[in-house]
Amino acid sequence: MMGVRRRARRPVGIAAEPAEALPEELPGPTYRTSAYTVFPTGYDGVDDPARSRWCLTVADAGDGWVIRRQGECLDIFNKWQREQALDSRDAEFQRTCVYNEHAALLRARRMVDRLDVGGVTFEEFVWRVTAGPPGANACPREDAADCG
């Protein structure tokens, strides 16, 4: 007959499990953030591929969080140190370059707009790419209608 479904029969001698024995939800995957990228102010407004040089990465390094840029880590004195391998980190590196997650993110956010890459901040880079400071009139005359 169409539209009729038969229920599967349980073999004789096997009792149904009580509802309490079955989990209400199956356990799902657990996600944990292992890295954040901190972008400078105005990052989305610039279309130059070189803009990524001013980004910082806050990463879980296994024994804490580090602020990375091009293979170096930012220490507590705002100096860049070569990152040491996890198994060869000394107490000095641990004390000066490894943060907790919150402190690393806070420090990276405060530092990213002051970051100097090759003697140039991101704001100066934007000025060079857009031929002037943000919001500046590219036309040298006051009357923009004269620029053609």
Side-chain angles (χ1 to χ4, degrees):
M1 293 189 343
M2 295 186 83
V4 176
R5 295 186 184 161
R6 296 181 122 205
R7 288 180 51 185
R9 292 189 177 181
R10 193 171 307 117
V12 177
I14 298 179
E17 293 183 39
E20 301 86 57
L22 298 176
E24 289 185 23
E25 288 185 32
L26 295 175
T30 301
Y31 297 98
R32 185 174 178 277
T33 302
S34 60
Y36 300 91
T37 301
V38 180
F39 301 96
T41 304
Y43 182 85
D44 291 331
V46 179
D47 227 4
D48 194 292
R51 69 185 182 169
S52 64
R53 293 172 51 201
W54 282 270
C55 295
L56 296 175
T57 302
V58 175
D60 183 355
D63 57 347
W65 292 76
V66 294
I67 303 169
R68 289 184 181 144
R69 183 193 69 158
Q70 300 172 353
E72 296 181 318
C73 296
L74 185 67
D75 68 13
I76 59 175
F77 306 110
N78 291 334
K79 303 286 184 204
W80 293 100
Q81 305 291 329
R82 179 165 288 302
E83 185 173 3
Q84 299 174 3
L86 183 59
D87 57 351
S88 65
R89 290 186 179 167
D90 58 10
E92 180 69 15
F93 181 86
Q94 187 73 26
R95 186 180 67 76
T96 60
C97 294
V98 178
Y99 306 86
N100 66 43
E101 183 178 4
H102 176 75
L105 280 169
L106 185 63
R107 187 170 192 81
R109 286 185 192 132
R110 289 180 177 167
M111 186 67 181
V112 72
D113 286 329
R114 295 183 290 150
L115 186 61
D116 181 301
V117 176
V120 178
T121 65
F122 187 73
E123 185 177 21
E124 293 166 340
F125 169 73
V126 170
W127 290 359
R128 291 178 184 182
V129 170
T130 61
N137 188 353
C139 179
R141 299 186 189 123
E142 291 295 319
D143 185 11
D146 291 341
C147 292

